[in-house]
Amino acid sequence: MKSKEFLIKKLKELASKFEDIKIRYEYHQSTYSHLIEVIPLSIFENDKAYMLAEEKLENDFENLFPDEDIVFISEDSLTEIKNPELLLGYEEVIFNNTVTVPEFMVEGFTEEIDFSDFTNYALAA
């Protein structure tokens, strides 16, 4: 098993065990380092069960992949994740923007509106 596969599997287990956490993961190939952001900071610093689980994951990883680094961070860290490869605990937001013919979309109202004389002040400010 490769290091990324190992970590993704273990991070999913961690997220299912601690339901209130959010995890983001990013791998930096140039430095062979794996960044794992865990929030909220309170669980990262104060939850003993979480800290033991993180320590075990870190030790297991270091034993299996001694030439790679694993770094856990949290809120307000100087290191940041810019392009996460894995998000756990974040709700997925999907924008489904479709173009619609401008009409009033009120039940029972079928008259189309002529917007040709409409002045748009959105860019006036």
Side-chain angles (χ1 to χ4, degrees):
M1 180 181 289
K2 295 184 180 180
S3 60
K4 283 173 69 171
E5 294 168 347
F6 172 83
L7 276 178
I8 288 171
K9 178 184 175 195
K10 293 298 183 180
L11 291 174
K12 286 179 179 179
E13 291 173 8
L14 194 64
S16 67
K17 185 175 180 182
F18 299 94
E19 296 175 358
D20 294 334
I21 65 173
K22 294 180 182 180
I23 297 173
R24 295 190 314 151
Y25 164 75
E26 181 178 65
Y27 176 64
H28 291 252
Q29 188 171 0
S30 60
T31 58
Y32 301 106
S33 59
H34 303 264
L35 292 177
I36 301 163
E37 178 188 68
V38 178
I39 59 175
L41 184 60
S42 59
I43 198 163
F44 186 78
E45 291 182 335
N46 302 321
D47 187 313
K48 290 184 182 183
Y50 168 79
M51 288 191 282
L52 289 172
E54 179 188 306
E55 181 182 25
K56 180 174 180 358
L57 189 155
E58 194 169 354
N59 288 336
D60 291 347
F61 180 84
E62 290 172 351
N63 287 331
L64 290 169
F65 308 101
D67 296 331
E68 299 184 36
D69 292 319
I70 184 171
V71 179
F72 283 88
I73 61 173
S74 193
E75 299 166 273
D76 298 331
S77 174
L78 295 177
T79 305
E80 64 181 338
I81 292 179
K82 295 180 182 175
N83 299 306
E85 297 178 39
L86 177 69
L87 296 170
L88 299 170
Y90 290 86
E91 291 184 33
E92 184 176 344
V93 177
I94 299 173
F95 294 100
N96 188 7
N97 296 332
T98 58
V99 177
T100 307
V101 177
E103 298 176 357
F104 275 112
M105 301 205 182
V106 178
E107 187 176 332
F109 192 82
T110 59
E111 183 180 334
E112 289 193 24
I113 299 180
D114 179 15
F115 285 98
S116 61
D117 292 330
F118 178 72
T119 303
N120 185 349
Y121 293 101
L123 297 176

